[in-house]
Amino acid sequence: MIKIAALDKSFDGFRALSNFNINVKKGSIYGLIGKNGAGKTTVINHLAGILKADRGSVTIEDAPVYDNQKIKERVGYIPDDLSYLKPHTLKSYSRFLRALYPHWNQTRFVGMTSEFQLDMEKRIGHFSKGMQKQAAFVLTMSQMPDYLLLDEPIDGLDPIVRKLVWKHMMDDVAQRGTTVLVSSHNLREMEGVCDCVGIIADGSMARERDLDDLTSDIHKVQVAFKEPVENPYSGLNILHRESRGTMDLLVVRNKKERVEEVIGEHNPAVFDVLPLSLEEIFIYELGGASDESILF
């Protein structure tokens, strides 16, 4: 498993991460989400062994990651910035990686290069942005990593290619037990593939839950009563409430059954309980719900 405990990291006096914690189960797909500048890339760079923690621990399978070649041989990393690939061709860079990674799979490399319709002899810097992402993905997957770290892996890819990328990742999780940590702004796609989600805010972990639990205990509620009711929501964890005419619009953190039990006692004329999407939870958790039209 991947674990970060009480991690602090500063750059020139700026605290990028503060008491940051994360737990990623083996063989799972973990989504790390947060605003730009929240610290996602800094977290991933610690897990890739690029950065050294100021304080705290960064481990994979209980072994420290930094300066640990044995662990790094089992980790595939695709950063958002692919400028390091641009001077090379797929063919030349694959030779470089083949010498570094003992489990390099040349058959997979050739097959995926053909599947993504990439030219092995062409400089990667001459590829489009989307094709550069595909080239990085093919090279990384051919390393046969046990752990996969991805920073915005589908940014700039068309829907067909995005589907192919997710398919390869999910196949490796299912067949090889690969553990994936992915950071992406495409929350709708993340919601369809992730087992667990961590929301990072201002360099700290704001909320970390299994996706099913995260989306099952926070709801949008619309309620209207025929007659005024005193304290109709007593006993519920109301995160937000506003009224539009006779209609109350709520965000509630409780199980659906509890919401129905409490409000149902007052025989509402209108009563709808809906789960929030991952995108809506993200907006609400990070305080971006001042425009309530986002939520309702």
Side-chain angles (χ1 to χ4, degrees), residues 9 53 60 118 128 154 156 171 253 259 277-278 292:
K9 185 65 180 180
I60 292 179
L118 299 172
S128 67
I154 59 173
D171 283 350
R253 181 172 286 140
V259 177
S277 68
L278 179 59
E292 308 308 339

Side-chain angles (χ1 to χ4, degrees), residues 220-225 229 232-233 240-251 263 270-272 296:
K220 294 181 290 188
V221 180
Q222 301 179 87
V223 185
F225 298 99
V229 178
Y233 313 122
H240 172 79
R241 177 180 176 179
E242 68 162 313
S243 297
R244 296 180 183 173
T246 60
M247 185 78 72
D248 281 345
L249 306 175
L250 314 171
V251 175
I263 298 178
V270 177
F271 183 24
D272 294 315
F296 296 99

Side-chain angles (χ1 to χ4, degrees), residues 216-219 221 223 231-238 250 252-266 268 271-273:
S216 69
D217 67 356
I218 183 167
H219 306 275
V221 180
V223 185
N231 298 323
Y233 313 122
S234 178
L236 294 180
N237 183 10
I238 306 297
L250 314 171
V252 184
R253 181 172 286 140
N254 289 98
K255 294 296 184 183
K256 182 179 180 182
E257 294 77 11
R258 177 60 177 165
V259 177
E260 292 174 337
E261 176 187 2
V262 170
I263 298 178
E265 289 181 357
H266 305 289
F271 183 24
D272 294 315
V273 182

Side-chain angles (χ1 to χ4, degrees), residues 116-141:
F116 282 90
Q117 300 180 14
L118 299 172
D119 187 343
M120 281 196 193
E121 306 290 344
K122 186 176 181 178
R123 282 182 58 185
I124 295 172
H126 293 161
F127 288 170
S128 67
K129 180 181 177 181
M131 293 177 71
Q132 289 176 26
K133 288 274 186 180
Q134 295 171 56
F137 183 71
V138 168
L139 289 164
T140 302
M141 294 298 283

Side-chain angles (χ1 to χ4, degrees), residues 13 17 26 42 48 54 124 127 133 140 162 169 183 192 206 209 221 224-227 242 255-257 264 283 290:
L17 297 175
K26 187 171 177 58
T42 304
D54 294 340
I124 295 172
F127 288 170
K133 288 274 186 180
T140 302
R162 288 204 308 268
M169 280 193 284
S183 166
R209 297 283 297 277
V221 180
F225 298 99
K226 296 177 182 178
E227 303 291 339
E242 68 162 313
K255 294 296 184 183
K256 182 179 180 182
E257 294 77 11
I283 291 169
S290 56

Side-chain angles (χ1 to χ4, degrees), residues 189-231:
E189 288 197 7
M190 296 264 279
E191 190 169 12
V193 299
C194 290
D195 303 298
C196 187
V197 170
I199 300 176
I200 181 173
D202 299 323
S204 297
M205 182 62 76
R207 191 160 170 80
E208 183 181 58
R209 297 283 297 277
D210 286 347
L211 185 59
D212 288 344
D213 291 339
L214 185 67
T215 56
S216 69
D217 67 356
I218 183 167
H219 306 275
K220 294 181 290 188
V221 180
Q222 301 179 87
V223 185
F225 298 99
K226 296 177 182 178
E227 303 291 339
V229 178
E230 186 176 352
N231 298 323

Side-chain angles (χ1 to χ4, degrees), residues 1-292:
M1 71 178 285
I2 293 171
K3 184 172 183 177
I4 295 177
L7 174 61
D8 288 346
K9 185 65 180 180
S10 296
F11 300 99
D12 297 325
F14 170 72
R15 180 66 66 87
L17 297 175
S18 178
N19 194 33
F20 183 84
N21 300 278
I22 194 171
N23 294 276
V24 183
K25 298 176 184 176
K26 187 171 177 58
S28 68
I29 300 178
Y30 186 108
L32 183 63
I33 61 178
K35 295 180 180 178
N36 289 334
K40 301 185 298 296
T41 296
T42 304
V43 170
I44 293 175
N45 283 340
H46 277 86
L47 290 171
I50 297 169
L51 295 176
K52 185 177 181 180
D54 294 340
R55 187 180 73 86
S57 62
V58 180
T59 60
I60 292 179
E61 295 182 5
D62 297 323
V65 174
Y66 189 77
D67 205 23
N68 187 334
Q69 187 60 34
K70 290 296 183 183
I71 288 293
K72 290 182 180 182
E73 287 175 355
R74 301 172 58 202
V75 175
Y77 171 44
I78 303 179
D80 188 32
D81 181 6
L82 300 175
S83 57
Y84 68 97
L85 284 177
K86 292 182 179 181
H88 308 280
T89 66
L90 267 169
K91 188 174 183 178
S92 66
Y93 206 75
S94 71
R95 287 198 296 265
F96 169 70
L97 293 179
R98 193 163 49 205
L100 289 179
Y101 292 91
H103 302 294
W104 175 268
N105 189 322
Q106 184 66 14
T107 301
R108 171 179 258 198
F109 170 69
V110 172
M112 288 186 68
T113 299
S114 175
E115 187 176 18
F116 282 90
Q117 300 180 14
L118 299 172
D119 187 343
M120 281 196 193
E121 306 290 344
K122 186 176 181 178
R123 282 182 58 185
I124 295 172
H126 293 161
F127 288 170
S128 67
K129 180 181 177 181
M131 293 177 71
Q132 289 176 26
K133 288 274 186 180
Q134 295 171 56
F137 183 71
V138 168
L139 289 164
T140 302
M141 294 298 283
S142 299
Q143 298 166 25
M144 305 300 287
D146 295 320
Y147 294 87
L148 195 54
L149 309 174
L150 308 171
D151 195 355
E152 297 294 340
I154 59 173
D155 185 32
L157 302 184
D158 66 58
I160 295 174
V161 175
R162 288 204 308 268
K163 185 175 180 180
L164 185 57
V165 167
W166 285 122
K167 178 184 180 300
H168 277 289
M169 280 193 284
M170 294 175 74
D171 283 350
D172 268 26
V173 171
Q175 298 170 15
R176 302 182 55 245
T178 304
T179 303
V180 179
L181 185 145
V182 55
S183 166
S184 175
H185 287 100
N186 196 321
L187 302 190
R188 294 188 180 184
E189 288 197 7
M190 296 264 279
E191 190 169 12
V193 299
C194 290
D195 303 298
C196 187
V197 170
I199 300 176
I200 181 173
D202 299 323
S204 297
M205 182 62 76
R207 191 160 170 80
E208 183 181 58
R209 297 283 297 277
D210 286 347
L211 185 59
D212 288 344
D213 291 339
L214 185 67
T215 56
S216 69
D217 67 356
I218 183 167
H219 306 275
K220 294 181 290 188
V221 180
Q222 301 179 87
V223 185
F225 298 99
K226 296 177 182 178
E227 303 291 339
V229 178
E230 186 176 352
N231 298 323
Y233 313 122
S234 178
L236 294 180
N237 183 10
I238 306 297
L239 303 181
H240 172 79
R241 177 180 176 179
E242 68 162 313
S243 297
R244 296 180 183 173
T246 60
M247 185 78 72
D248 281 345
L249 306 175
L250 314 171
V251 175
V252 184
R253 181 172 286 140
N254 289 98
K255 294 296 184 183
K256 182 179 180 182
E257 294 77 11
R258 177 60 177 165
V259 177
E260 292 174 337
E261 176 187 2
V262 170
I263 298 178
E265 289 181 357
H266 305 289
N267 298 313
V270 177
F271 183 24
D272 294 315
V273 182
L274 300 170
L276 270 71
S277 68
L278 179 59
E279 187 171 37
E280 290 171 320
I281 292 171
F282 170 72
I283 291 169
Y284 191 83
E285 291 283 0
L286 297 186
S290 56
D291 178 3
E292 308 308 339

